[in-house]
Amino acid sequence: VTSFTVAPLRISTFAGIIVSLVAFIYMCFIMFKTLIWGEVVQGFPTLMVVILFLGGIQLLSLGVIGEYIGRILKQRIVLPTLQENIMV
């Protein structure tokens, strides 16, 4: 179903961007909460930010690399046109 298409790889790229942005926003929220309200941050939120951010970056980079390889494959699969030589 997904052979010769880069759509799943493009979805992976966008998912990586979204996960990384959510992790970055969550990190900003944790820093804001700690600096402004002086709330002590336990280990779980910071661990979640790091795991989500790195996972999003990995998903993004796999999507970009896969899309690049998919485009190379798409160029290599193009069949040459057949030319007939007519001898008169």
Side-chain angles (χ1 to χ4, degrees):
V1 173
T2 61
S3 61
F4 306 123
T5 181
V6 293
L9 299 169
R10 190 160 293 153
I11 292 170
S12 171
T13 302
F14 289 132
I17 290 170
I18 290 170
V19 169
S20 296
L21 285 175
V22 167
F24 184 74
I25 291 169
Y26 186 52
M27 179 186 64
C28 291
F29 173 71
I30 289 173
M31 287 177 56
F32 178 76
K33 193 166 68 169
T34 303
L35 294 175
I36 301 300
W37 291 310
E39 189 173 318
V40 177
V41 178
Q42 301 297 325
F44 181 73
T46 55
L47 185 64
M48 283 302 295
V49 166
V50 170
I51 289 173
L52 282 173
F53 187 72
L54 291 178
I57 294 297
Q58 285 178 345
L59 198 59
L60 173 67
S61 61
L62 281 175
V64 169
I65 291 170
E67 194 166 335
Y68 177 70
I69 292 173
R71 287 183 185 183
I72 291 173
L73 180 66
K74 192 180 276 188
Q75 285 179 352
R76 296 290 294 164
I77 287 180
V78 175
L79 297 174
T81 58
L82 181 63
Q83 295 180 355
E84 292 185 23
N85 293 331
I86 299 174
M87 297 189 67
V88 178

